[in-house]
């Protein structure tokens, strides 16, 4: 469903499993820190709201969105996480760089999900401009981080 038709922070609380016995890895891109910081804040807040203990939420940073694949892979190899969440933001520019990064990250995360035991949750914002990114990281369309946390809890129980 298009984000414009759905607030990323709205969900049915009654359908969320208890996360108190779960451990989560989060990999955050340092690029576009205003956006990725807001995504991280939403993710952690929502995980904790559903019972995850702060000491069971491990955050690592990588320089940019393409490196999210490597970071997620390293976390899945440790075997200590019930789910791993990637958080990044790519904003369209004047060159095809946007397309290559978005496609590469999408394929890389899809590959991890198809070949590993640990679910990797896709929290990469791919927007046309900064305002769209702000709208999806705590603005008028909610916070993609909230959605990623809920997805991580559900997939950990899958």
């Amino acid at each position: 469903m298009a984000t414009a038709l759905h607030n990323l922070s709205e969900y049915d609380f009654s359908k969320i499993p208890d996360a108190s016995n779960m451990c989560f890895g989060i990999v955050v891109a340092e690029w576009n820190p205003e956006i990725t910081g807001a995504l991280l804040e939403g993710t952690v807040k929502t995980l904790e709201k559903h019972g995850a203990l702060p000491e069971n939420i491990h955050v690592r940073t990588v320089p940019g969105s393409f490196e999210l694949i490597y970071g997620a892979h390293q976390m899945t190899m440790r075997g200590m996480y019930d789910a791993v969440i990637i958080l990044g933001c790519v904003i369209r520019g004047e060159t095809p760089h946007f397309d290559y990064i978005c496609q590469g990250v999408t394929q890389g995360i899809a590959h991890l999900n198809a070949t590993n035991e640990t679910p990797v949750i896709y929290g990469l914002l791919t927007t046309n401009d900064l305002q769209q990114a702000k709208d999806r990281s705590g603005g008028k369309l909610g916070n993609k981080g909230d959605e990623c946390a809920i997805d991580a809890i559900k997939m950990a129980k899958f």
Side-chain angles (χ1 to χ4, degrees), residues 28-33 36 61-65 87:
V28 185
E30 295 172 343
W31 198 259
N32 294 315
T36 60
T61 61
V62 293
S65 291
L87 300 172

Side-chain angles (χ1 to χ4, degrees), residues 139-155:
K140 68 180 183 179
L141 297 174
N143 191 322
K144 180 73 172 175
D146 296 339
E147 182 184 59
C148 289
I150 297 304
D151 291 351
I153 294 167
K154 287 181 173 183
M155 290 306 295

Side-chain angles (χ1 to χ4, degrees), residues 13-134:
F13 282 79
S14 68
K15 294 183 179 182
I16 311 305
D18 176 36
S20 60
N21 291 321
M22 297 179 186
C23 189
F24 300 94
I26 304 173
V27 186
V28 185
E30 295 172 343
W31 198 259
N32 294 315
E34 173 187 3
I35 304 302
T36 60
L39 293 171
L40 176 60
E41 183 179 330
T43 302
V44 170
K45 186 171 106 179
T46 301
L47 288 172
E48 290 177 348
K49 183 188 311 182
H50 292 282
L53 303 173
E55 59 268 23
N56 289 336
I57 301 170
H58 304 160
V59 179
R60 299 292 304 267
T61 61
V62 293
S65 291
F66 196 77
E67 292 78 23
L68 290 166
I69 304 163
Y70 177 82
H73 183 242
Q74 292 301 307
M75 284 189 151
T76 62
M77 287 180 21
R78 292 185 182 169
M80 62 187 280
Y81 299 109
D82 295 293
V84 173
I85 302 166
I86 63 136
L87 300 172
C89 176
V90 184
I91 300 171
R92 188 177 300 279
E94 297 176 358
T95 69
H97 180 74
F98 172 89
D99 299 312
Y100 299 128
I101 297 299
C102 295
Q103 184 177 18
V105 174
T106 301
Q107 289 177 344
I109 298 305
H111 177 74
L112 289 176
N113 275 313
T115 59
N116 288 301
E117 297 294 318
T118 305
V120 180
I121 307 305
Y122 186 87
L124 180 69
L125 289 180
T126 57
T127 63
N128 290 316
D129 56 48
L130 180 59
Q131 187 58 53
Q132 287 179 345
K134 288 179 179 180

